[in-house]
Amino acid sequence: QVQLVESGGGSVQAGGSLRLSCVVSGYTHNTYCMAWFRQAPGKEREGVASVSAGGGSTYYADSVKGRFTISRDNAKNRLYLQMNSLKPEDTAMYYCAAALCFLGGWRQFEQTAYRYWGQGTQVTVSS
């Protein structure tokens, strides 16, 4: 049974930092490309950052470039998102997701490319 479980969310003030984690099980982690998505109330879910299977290639939404860093530890079956200089507009539910890399679309955060999803962790940034 495939499971993706996020943790690390919480409430912080603007300018603060959080580190999200996603533990995966039930499949071979290093064969999937991974990403973080987020969904704010009343808004569509959007891609935030993605990473290749080996971790060597990363992609970011313009809104988080220079502030967020995605990484993975395949030995520990974990995906991370380091979020610095947080802004109130970063407030959202954050989801990790896994895609079969060879199918394509994962770099561009095409949600149909992502086969497995976690339940999400809430991030709230106050001004």
Side-chain angles (χ1 to χ4, degrees):
Q1 181 180 359
V2 175
Q3 281 192 315
L4 283 71
V5 180
E6 302 94 337
S7 63
S11 297
V12 295
Q13 290 190 327
S17 298
L18 283 173
R19 189 191 194 203
L20 305 184
S21 295
C22 174
V23 180
V24 303
S25 60
Y27 68 86
T28 305
H29 182 46
N30 62 7
T31 61
Y32 281 75
C33 294
M34 303 290 295
W36 288 95
F37 288 79
R38 67 185 181 187
Q39 187 169 21
K43 294 187 177 181
E44 294 186 351
R45 188 164 56 187
E46 61 175 358
V48 174
S50 60
V51 61
S52 59
S57 297
T58 56
Y59 304 88
Y60 296 92
D62 288 343
S63 59
V64 306
K65 280 181 182 176
R67 300 188 299 122
F68 290 11
T69 302
I70 188 172
S71 62
R72 64 191 296 167
D73 185 337
N74 287 339
K76 296 182 178 180
N77 289 344
R78 288 182 179 267
L79 176 73
Y80 303 100
L81 185 68
Q82 178 67 45
M83 305 186 295
N84 298 328
S85 302
L86 282 162
K87 304 175 181 180
E89 50 263 43
D90 295 318
T91 295
M93 185 72 79
Y94 283 72
Y95 302 89
C96 64
L100 288 169
C101 305
F102 72 91
L103 293 178
W106 62 272
R107 294 180 186 86
Q108 298 84 10
F109 307 115
E110 293 179 11
Q111 297 188 38
T112 54
Y114 287 85
R115 186 173 187 178
Y116 301 115
W117 294 81
Q119 294 300 305
T121 185
Q122 178 67 38
V123 172
T124 302
V125 185
S126 58
S127 58

